[in-house]
């Protein structure tokens, strides 16, 4: 997941009330791939592959200018969303046994969940309150792997977005 610390002051109070995952240690974020591999499969080879996949992408700046909805869900939509889509596609292509959201959706929409499993009037209230606090701009320079201990989620490791390796002097491209 790409943790979005800059959004926490704006969405944190709402997430703590209306998004279960906030209560179990998941910060404001845009998901790259969930579910991922079982924690028992996450070894040094997986970590090296993740480091390489994430590391070849450039850091980027994203803005969350407004709210959107899925059924029962209010979220902030990132602009641009393509860097998140590219990360999801790359990780899912490397581990096809772990399709995004278990393969539930044909199109994976990058989003930062604010409220989940709530009635429409609650989502309306949250959206109205957020409108005055947006936009939020964030610099995305890493992707974090979170693991669950059965009760809470914990940040296991961060992978930096570094961009493609620079050409070495004397090399041809």
């Amino acid at each position: 997941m790409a943790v979005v610390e800059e959004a926490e002051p704006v969405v944190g109070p709402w997430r703590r009330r209306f998004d279960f995952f906030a209560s179990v240690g998941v910060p404001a974020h845009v998901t790259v791939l969930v579910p991922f591999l079982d924690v028992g499969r996450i070894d040094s080879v997986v970590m090296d592959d993740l480091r390489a996949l994430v590391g070849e992408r450039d850091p980027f700046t994203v803005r969350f200018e407004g709210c959107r909805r899925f059924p029962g869900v209010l979220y902030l939509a990132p602009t641009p969303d393509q860097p998140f889509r590219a990360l999801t596609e790359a990780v899912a292509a490397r581990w096809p046994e772990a399709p995004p959201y278990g393969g539930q959706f044909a199109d994976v929409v990058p989003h930062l969940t604010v409220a989940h499993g709530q009635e429409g009037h609650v989502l309306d209230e949250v959206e109205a309150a957020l409108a005055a606090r947006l936009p939020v701009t964030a610099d995305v320079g890493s992707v974090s792997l979170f693991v669950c201990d059965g009760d809470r989620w914990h940040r296991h490791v961060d992978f930096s977005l570094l961009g493609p390796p620079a050409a070495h002097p004397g090399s041809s491209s």
Side-chain angles (χ1 to χ4, degrees), residues 61-128:
T61 299
V62 64
R63 285 175 55 92
F64 297 91
E65 297 175 348
C67 296
R68 296 206 183 124
R69 296 188 190 190
F70 301 128
V73 177
L74 180 72
Y75 68 91
L76 299 183
T79 303
D81 72 353
Q82 185 53 37
F84 294 113
R85 289 178 184 274
L87 280 164
T88 297
E89 290 167 5
V91 177
R94 170 57 187 86
W95 290 279
E97 68 272 32
Y101 299 98
Q104 277 182 280
F105 309 105
D107 183 31
V108 176
V109 177
H111 61 282
L112 190 157
T113 300
V114 178
H116 185 266
Q118 302 300 313
E119 299 284 332
H121 70 278
V122 173
L123 300 181
D124 292 343
E125 173 190 335
V126 176
E127 184 172 0

Side-chain angles (χ1 to χ4, degrees), residues 17-91:
R17 286 179 63 192
F18 300 122
D19 182 8
F20 166 77
F21 287 102
S23 70
V24 293
V26 178
H29 70 282
V30 176
T31 298
V32 172
L33 183 66
V34 69
F36 190 51
L37 304 176
D38 182 84
V39 70
R41 286 198 51 207
I42 301 174
D43 59 14
S44 62
V45 172
V46 169
M47 300 288 271
D48 289 346
D49 286 355
L50 278 170
R51 189 170 292 107
L53 280 172
V54 172
E56 67 188 21
R57 280 153 179 70
D58 290 319
F60 58 97
T61 299
V62 64
R63 285 175 55 92
F64 297 91
E65 297 175 348
C67 296
R68 296 206 183 124
R69 296 188 190 190
F70 301 128
V73 177
L74 180 72
Y75 68 91
L76 299 183
T79 303
D81 72 353
Q82 185 53 37
F84 294 113
R85 289 178 184 274
L87 280 164
T88 297
E89 290 167 5
V91 177

Side-chain angles (χ1 to χ4, degrees), residues 88-171:
T88 297
E89 290 167 5
V91 177
R94 170 57 187 86
W95 290 279
E97 68 272 32
Y101 299 98
Q104 277 182 280
F105 309 105
D107 183 31
V108 176
V109 177
H111 61 282
L112 190 157
T113 300
V114 178
H116 185 266
Q118 302 300 313
E119 299 284 332
H121 70 278
V122 173
L123 300 181
D124 292 343
E125 173 190 335
V126 176
E127 184 172 0
L130 287 174
R133 309 237 8 232
L134 297 176
V136 170
T137 300
D139 293 319
V140 179
S142 66
V143 171
S144 302
L145 175 62
F146 275 69
V147 296
C148 186
D149 65 13
D151 294 315
R152 294 191 57 78
W153 288 87
H154 305 276
R155 190 184 309 227
H156 184 63
V157 65
D158 294 327
F159 302 100
S160 295
L161 286 89
L162 303 170
H168 296 288
S171 66

